[in-house]
């Protein structure tokens, strides 16, 4: 097409209204964003929870990638380190967790706060009684009775012993008090594990028994080495 012909053709296009469309950049972008924001384009998009989970797992993967890059031997070295850490954790749990839980019976007489003397248990019992906390007073007085028998070598100190076991063992050395020892053990179990509430008379009964046992002369069984007296 010659120059004159091109000019003539352009004039004809303008006259006919066929002007080439040249949309500015900003309105074009806004039009595209408006079109893409329509719901029909987002029907299969992940929801908020899925997006959050994807971001979390991307973060975890990034952490492991960074750790693998820093660990000797790369990913294989990281896997070995993880196995070692898990093994150490399992060994510590087995060594310090399970034996501690299994050392005491669920109905053990003494708690796990450490050994206390009979005098300490008696003082605690009296403090509870003065505050009218009869349930706690009964518990501490029973502990005082058993600890006193252990201190006199009439019972062998044994972690995890229950009140019933202590009463039965003490009854062999103090047969005249067997029935009252068993009644004291039942009273302890009732308020500690049976959900019952002690009263003043229950505490005074154990207090009297404690004082009498402290003065009682034990019956030494043949073949025993217990030589302590009241």
């Amino acid at each position: 097409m010659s120059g004159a012909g091109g000019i003539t053709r352009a004039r004809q296009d303008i006259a006919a209204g066929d002007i080439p469309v040249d949309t500015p950049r900003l309105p074009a972008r806004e039009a595209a964003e408006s079109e893409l924001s329509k719901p029909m384009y987002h029907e299969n998009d992940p929801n908020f929870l899925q997006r959050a989970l994807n971001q979390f797992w991307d973060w975890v993967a990034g952490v492991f990638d960074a750790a693998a890059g820093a660990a000797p031997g790369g990913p294989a070295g990281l896997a070995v380190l993880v196995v070692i850490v898990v093994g150490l954790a399992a060994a510590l749990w087995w060594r310090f967790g399970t034996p501690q839980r299994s050392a005491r019976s669920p109905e053990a007489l003494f708690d796990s706060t450490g050994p206390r003397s009979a005098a300490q248990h008696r003082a605690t019992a009296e403090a509870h009684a003065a505050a009218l906390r009869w349930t706690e007073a009964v518990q501490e007085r029973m502990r005082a009775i058993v600890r006193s028998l252990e201190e006199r070598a009439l019972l062998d100190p044994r972690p995890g012993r229950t009140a019933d076991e202590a009463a039965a063992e003490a009854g062999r050395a103090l047969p005249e008090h067997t029935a009252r020892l068993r009644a004291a053990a039942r009273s302890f179990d009732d308020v500690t594990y049976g959900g019952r509430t002690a009263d003043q008379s229950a505490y005074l009964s154990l207090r009297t028994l404690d004082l009498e046992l402290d003065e009682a002369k034990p019956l030494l069984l043949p073949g025993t080495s217990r030589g302590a007296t009241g």
Side-chain angles (χ1 to χ4, degrees), residues 28 30-31 45 56 58 60 78 84 94-95 109 137 149 177 179-181 194 216 220 225:
E30 292 177 349
D45 288 354
F56 172 76
D58 290 342
V60 171
L78 177 62
I84 293 174
W94 177 259
R95 174 63 181 84
L109 179 64
L149 295 174
H177 297 83
R180 295 176 65 192
L181 281 165
L220 298 181
S225 58

Side-chain angles (χ1 to χ4, degrees), residues 102-206:
S102 61
R104 293 181 66 246
S105 165
E107 298 181 354
L109 179 64
F110 296 100
D111 54 30
S112 58
T113 58
R116 302 173 64 200
S117 67
Q120 289 174 317
H121 284 295
R122 288 181 181 125
T124 303
E126 288 294 303
H128 285 308
L132 305 182
R133 295 189 294 266
W134 302 116
T135 295
E136 293 84 352
V138 164
Q139 292 171 327
E140 285 300 310
R141 203 75 198 197
M142 184 63 192
R143 291 173 180 137
I145 290 174
V146 176
R147 185 66 77 204
S148 177
L149 295 174
E150 291 177 349
E151 291 173 353
R152 294 171 60 192
L154 298 179
L155 288 178
D156 295 325
R158 178 161 56 84
R161 176 189 278 122
T162 67
D164 289 332
E165 292 171 344
E169 295 171 18
R172 290 193 286 270
L174 299 165
E176 294 181 359
H177 297 83
T178 299
R180 295 176 65 192
L181 281 165
R182 290 177 176 172
R186 284 195 300 271
S187 179
F188 176 87
D189 288 342
D190 287 343
V191 300
T192 305
Y193 310 110
R196 298 185 181 179
T197 302
D199 54 17
Q200 183 179 13
S201 63
Y203 174 69
L204 293 179
S205 177
L206 263 72

